[in-house]
Amino acid sequence: MVIRQLYRLLFSFILGISVFSAAIAQDNNQSPTATNTIVPNTTAPNTIPTIHVGGYQFSPYVNLQQDGRYTGFTLDIINALNQIQQEVFFEFTVTSVEHRYKAYALGRFDMMIFENPAWGWQKIADQFIPLHMIDGEVFIALKAKAHNQNYFKNLTNKSVAFVKGYHYQFAHFETDADKLAKQFRPLFVSNNRASIESILRKRADIAPVTHSYLQYYLKVNPQDRHLLLISDKWDQEYDNGILLSLRSSLDAKKLSHWVQLLIDNGKLAELAAQYGIKSSQ
């Protein structure tokens, strides 16, 4: 009898301890712990605004390499702008020569480097910041066919290589293929190199070519120099600059200041010299 009572007391004692432990455990589960606390991520890098710079294949300003990289004067300026300040990050954004106006209007990029207000931008609100870099187009033809400079004076009955989307002064800056076909015998190509090759391969009689790219091409391919006749007179000479969207978060005065810093420290002229482009100042 005594033993039975001792068993009952022991059972009650054990049961009480179990209930007390469960209560403590339940209370602990409802309390916040270190594993449930959200800790701010202090290792994340500070972000700065990104300014998207549109660009299309336009040698020597933008060149698409075989490995998919883009290089050229435009990319060099983007890098220089990123090095001279830390307020924004300039990032290259690919577009096409034909669709750049629509992409610009849709806000897919903030600015374009080495554009000209006369190249179809008249109806699009923007801000123009000069870079004071002189370039333009000259005409080329085969010496065997052209003989002398008089060959470039009349384009009648001559086939002309046009880079699609490029604005040429002799064509009144027209880019519409159907309209050009009514005035000329056009051969449409994709870039400056294709224009030169169209002459060398006798697919076209005359081709306007960006002067700076022509100099680069002949430097890399000196064997072709004696084959080509280059016009003394340029089709157009342009002082291109930066088009900055009015919708961009970047202030035009601030961008102008950074450009001026690159001019004053000689960096812009140093980069231009690598592409045979001269300053207008």
Side-chain angles (χ1 to χ4, degrees):
M1 188 73 174
V2 175
I3 295 174
R4 183 178 298 176
Q5 289 178 348
L6 290 173
Y7 274 124
R8 288 178 178 176
L9 289 172
L10 181 61
F11 177 78
S12 298
F13 179 76
I14 294 173
L15 181 61
I17 292 175
S18 299
V19 172
F20 180 74
S21 299
I24 293 176
Q26 183 177 7
D27 184 64
N28 285 339
N29 287 336
Q30 292 176 347
S31 301
T33 64
T35 55
N36 293 328
T37 303
I38 299 176
V39 180
N41 183 5
T42 58
T43 61
N46 294 325
T47 58
I48 59 176
T50 297
I51 302 299
H52 297 280
V53 183
Y56 53 89
Q57 178 76 14
F58 179 26
S59 301
Y61 302 99
V62 176
N63 301 306
L64 176 59
Q65 304 298 325
Q66 292 183 348
D67 59 5
R69 293 180 303 110
Y70 283 91
T71 62
F73 196 5
T74 293
L75 283 297
D76 291 344
I77 290 180
I78 291 174
N79 291 334
L81 286 170
N82 282 332
Q83 292 172 7
I84 208 167
Q85 54 77 43
Q86 290 77 43
E87 296 183 40
V88 300
F89 180 75
F90 292 93
E91 182 176 80
F92 182 69
T93 300
V94 180
T95 185
S96 67
V97 62
E98 297 95 344
H99 299 117
R100 68 190 191 273
Y101 308 104
K102 183 177 181 180
Y104 186 86
L106 291 173
R108 292 178 181 169
F109 41 85
D110 299 90
M111 54 184 269
M112 298 193 76
I113 303 177
F114 293 113
E115 274 290 343
N116 192 304
W119 293 351
W121 297 100
Q122 295 90 335
K123 297 181 180 179
I124 301 177
D126 54 45
Q127 304 163 91
F128 182 75
I129 299 168
L131 287 171
H132 308 291
M133 296 285 118
I134 295 296
D135 204 354
E137 271 86 37
V138 295
F139 294 105
I140 63 170
L142 278 179
K143 279 185 179 179
K145 181 183 294 187
H147 301 300
N148 56 55
Q149 292 292 320
N150 291 329
Y151 189 78
F152 300 113
K153 291 183 178 179
N154 189 353
L155 300 182
T156 304
N157 297 323
K158 296 183 178 74
S159 58
V160 183
F162 288 83
V163 177
K164 295 178 182 178
Y166 280 22
H167 295 79
Y168 301 106
Q169 184 169 290
F170 75 93
H172 307 291
F173 302 108
E174 182 61 66
T175 60
D176 184 88
D178 293 333
K179 292 180 180 180
L180 289 171
K182 294 179 180 179
Q183 304 177 58
F184 306 97
R185 290 173 50 199
L187 170 69
F188 294 104
V189 297
S190 58
N191 53 55
N192 275 309
R193 183 181 182 88
S195 292
I196 297 172
E197 292 176 344
S198 72
I199 298 300
L200 294 172
R201 297 174 182 176
K202 301 179 181 181
R203 298 178 60 224
D205 298 318
I206 292 177
V209 180
T210 304
H211 180 265
S212 57
Y213 179 76
L214 179 61
Q215 300 310 306
Y216 165 78
Y217 176 89
L218 294 176
K219 182 178 179 180
V220 177
N221 302 277
Q223 71 281 359
D224 292 337
R225 182 178 293 274
H226 75 283
L227 299 174
L228 297 174
L229 179 66
I230 303 171
S231 65
D232 295 332
K233 183 179 179 180
W234 291 28
D235 171 53
Q236 64 174 319
E237 184 178 284
Y238 40 73
D239 188 351
N240 291 345
I242 299 175
L243 290 179
L244 177 65
S245 173
L246 292 172
R247 297 185 299 181
S248 176
S249 61
L250 179 59
D251 181 67
K253 291 183 179 178
K254 184 169 290 187
L255 179 57
S256 296
H257 172 66
W258 293 335
V259 169
Q260 190 61 48
L261 289 178
L262 294 177
I263 294 173
D264 293 343
N265 66 13
K267 186 63 177 180
L268 193 59
E270 175 189 331
L271 294 174
Q274 298 176 14
Y275 300 96
I277 299 172
K278 298 181 179 179
S279 171
S280 62
Q281 291 188 329

